[in-house]
């Protein structure tokens, strides 16, 4: 129904920047929210940022607010996560996700998202 493909991950030193991309295809009109999530080894998955597919203000986890910026280009069906001032604790597998639910997109729990990408690894060295 909806396919998501992430790209842009890699290895950077602390303080560096990366820009993740998430290309969506399929029946994307069904999506209500899109978000970025991450999971590090031994830790639970956590929501990073989200945005309404139709537009509106984005939402951020406190740990990344002021450093990360989520955006989307609906014409290209692509979502982005600009990550600046990266810290070692940002190291994780990053996933983009889309939801068909009508829940508030500011809910970053993530379990209610319907479609997920394969993930892209972000490694930040100190």
């Amino acid at each position: 129904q909806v396919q998501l493909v992430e790209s842009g991950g890699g290895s950077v030193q602390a303080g560096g920047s990366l820009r993740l991309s998430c290309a969506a295809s399929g029946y994307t009109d069904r999506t209500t929210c899109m978000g970025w999530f991450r999971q590090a080894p031994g830790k639970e998955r956590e929501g990073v940022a989200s945005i309404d597919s139709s537009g509106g203000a984005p939402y951020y986890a406190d740990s990344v607010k002021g450093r990360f910026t989520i955006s989307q280009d609906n014409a290209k069906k692509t979502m982005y996560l600009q990550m600046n001032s990266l810290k070692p604790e940002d190291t994780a597998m990053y996933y983009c996700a889309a939801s068909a639910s009508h829940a508030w997109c500011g809910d970053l729990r993530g379990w209610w998202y319907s479609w997920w990408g394969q993930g892209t690894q972000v490694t930040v060295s100190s």
Side-chain angles (χ1 to χ4, degrees):
Q1 295 179 348
V2 177
Q3 295 79 44
L4 304 172
V5 180
E6 302 99 331
S7 62
S11 298
V12 298
Q13 292 186 323
S17 298
L18 284 173
R19 187 196 191 204
L20 306 183
S21 298
C22 175
S25 61
Y27 194 39
T28 56
D29 285 348
R30 292 190 62 188
T31 64
T32 58
C33 309
M34 295 193 71
W36 288 97
F37 300 82
R38 66 187 183 186
Q39 187 168 26
K43 299 178 64 177
E44 294 184 341
R45 182 181 64 198
E46 63 174 338
V48 175
S50 66
I51 192 169
D52 289 277
S53 297
S54 60
Y59 306 92
Y60 298 98
D62 289 341
S63 60
V64 306
K65 189 175 183 179
R67 299 188 297 119
F68 291 9
T69 302
I70 188 172
S71 62
Q72 62 185 349
D73 185 335
N74 288 330
K76 297 181 179 179
K77 295 185 177 181
T78 302
M79 179 178 63
Y80 305 95
L81 184 67
Q82 179 66 48
M83 305 185 294
N84 298 327
S85 302
L86 284 163
K87 304 175 181 179
E89 49 263 44
D90 294 319
T91 296
M93 184 73 73
Y94 282 71
Y95 302 89
C96 72
S99 176
S101 172
H102 290 84
W104 178 51
C105 295
D107 184 353
L108 294 176
R109 290 178 293 173
W111 61 267
W112 49 273
Y113 277 73
S114 299
W115 303 284
W116 295 82
Q118 83 289 346
T120 185
Q121 179 67 39
V122 172
T123 301
V124 184
S125 60
S126 60

